[in-house]
Amino acid sequence: MAEPPAARSQEQGCSRFVVALFLAVVCVAPPSLAQDGSNLPELQRDLEEINNGTNPTLLTTQAGIQYQFNQINPDLDTGLLELFYLRPFGDGSKAFRLTIPFSDSEFNSQPRLGDAALAYAQNPDIGSEFTLGDISLTYIDVFHLTKSNGAAYTLEFFLDTAETDFAGYGQLALETSVFYAWFLDNGSIFAPAWVQTFGLEGGNANGENLNVTTVDFYYVPKLANPKYYLTFDPAVIHDWETDDTFGSLQVTAGMLTGPLFGGDSQIYIKPGVLFGGDAPADWSIQVGFKVLNF
């Protein structure tokens, strides 16, 4: 059944308003207190020659856009577009991040992506236009830092703003994480993390609850040329509601592209693969652009 023009116009108006609000926040926000590093702890400033965003304990102002293509199966794919803005405050050891997602399918924002065949049967035109997903606000706190290690926790609160049933969680949700980073003698970083994602309302309109655990093993090798960077992020995911367990591996390759808007710009590409019998997709690839340190 076709969507009424009035409803479609209302959804498009909401999406335009959210984008305009995001751009206004980025453009009018005062310069970060950590713009030149003078307000960051001395240890943080000593850890990095160039802050390219790969050190999870070194917070800096960031704004960017990224798009992820997900291959669910040979006959079905989805996409997710995200706008994000991160700003440290205080002494630079804490930050807030705003993320605004847009989905070009009705289920790709779900942690397990849902039942692809069922969703396609309900709407064969999925992927034909972008819809607003669940806007999230994240608090980041680097509570421990030395020259050899550091630790932080994050709290990400998801608003129930999705324009369709499958573009978000269908309920208020919270994602908590804690990680411990080791700064190795060869200049590389190893930062394993525990991530827990759960619903706050006991289920969505269909009675489906959310409770997912992710354990990942983030690693950043030290490259000879500081213009480039690599990150490796293998993970194991378990959905406690469906008892599904699967693995994933994402590799990010980035390149600094010079000064822009008073900061440092970069582009990056992140291919990923999911494996295991319960994996909800086959592979993905993300491309992005962001500006840091402005």
Side-chain angles (χ1 to χ4, degrees):
M1 179 176 179
E3 186 180 20
R8 195 161 52 240
S9 176
Q10 184 178 11
E11 289 181 358
Q12 292 172 348
C14 178
S15 298
R16 294 192 192 99
F17 173 76
V18 170
V19 173
L21 179 62
F22 174 81
L23 294 176
V25 170
V26 172
C27 293
V28 305
S32 168
L33 294 177
Q35 181 178 1
D36 60 0
S38 60
N39 293 288
L40 289 175
E42 189 69 29
L43 284 172
Q44 283 186 307
R45 285 187 278 143
D46 290 343
L47 286 173
E48 294 288 334
E49 299 173 1
I50 297 177
N51 187 358
N52 57 21
T54 58
N55 183 344
T57 67
L58 183 54
L59 306 178
T60 185
T61 303
Q62 299 183 30
I65 182 171
Q66 58 190 22
Y67 178 79
Q68 180 167 311
F69 173 91
N70 305 294
Q71 183 72 57
I72 306 302
N73 59 47
D75 300 317
L76 184 62
D77 55 70
T78 71
L80 183 66
L81 177 72
E82 292 181 307
L83 307 174
F84 58 90
Y85 175 67
L86 184 149
R87 184 173 185 268
F89 63 93
D91 64 358
S93 64
K94 302 172 180 61
F96 283 110
R97 182 179 67 230
L98 173 68
T99 304
I100 302 177
F102 294 89
S103 166
D104 60 2
S105 85
E106 293 189 350
F107 50 87
N108 67 342
S109 294
Q110 299 263 22
R112 294 185 56 256
L113 304 181
D115 187 328
L118 178 60
Y120 185 80
Q122 292 175 346
N123 181 5
D125 296 324
I126 57 175
S128 60
E129 61 181 15
F130 283 103
T131 59
L132 178 66
D134 287 342
I135 297 172
S136 69
L137 182 65
T138 306
Y139 171 71
I140 306 169
D141 192 327
V142 181
F143 61 86
H144 168 73
L145 189 65
T146 71
K147 289 186 176 180
S148 59
N149 51 61
Y153 69 87
T154 71
L155 301 171
E156 183 169 11
F157 180 63
F158 292 88
L159 302 174
D160 186 11
T161 56
E163 294 177 342
T164 67
D165 292 341
F166 291 99
Y169 294 123
Q171 61 182 305
L172 298 176
L174 184 68
E175 182 169 283
T176 63
S177 74
V178 60
F179 69 81
Y180 196 93
W182 281 274
F183 310 118
L184 307 181
D185 292 339
N186 61 4
S188 59
I189 301 171
F190 177 55
W194 178 283
V195 184
Q196 193 70 33
T197 310
F198 51 92
L200 298 175
E201 299 183 73
N204 58 20
N206 298 320
E208 299 170 338
N209 207 349
L210 172 66
N211 187 10
V212 177
T213 298
T214 302
V215 181
D216 71 39
F217 304 91
Y218 180 74
Y219 177 73
V220 186
K222 179 71 171 181
L223 302 185
N225 189 339
K227 182 179 179 179
Y228 304 98
Y229 67 85
L230 285 173
T231 72
F232 298 88
D233 196 8
V236 178
I237 301 99
H238 180 74
D239 188 327
W240 295 94
E241 296 298 319
T242 61
D243 201 29
D244 289 343
T245 302
F246 56 95
S248 71
L249 172 63
Q250 293 182 316
V251 179
T252 304
M255 179 179 71
L256 302 180
T257 49
L260 185 67
F261 303 132
D264 303 308
S265 66
Q266 67 174 245
I267 57 174
Y268 54 92
I269 184 170
K270 181 191 293 186
V273 61
L274 286 79
F275 48 88
D278 297 328
D282 294 334
W283 56 270
S284 66
I285 187 165
Q286 183 183 81
V287 293
F289 170 81
K290 62 182 174 180
V291 180
L292 309 87
N293 312 317
F294 60 91

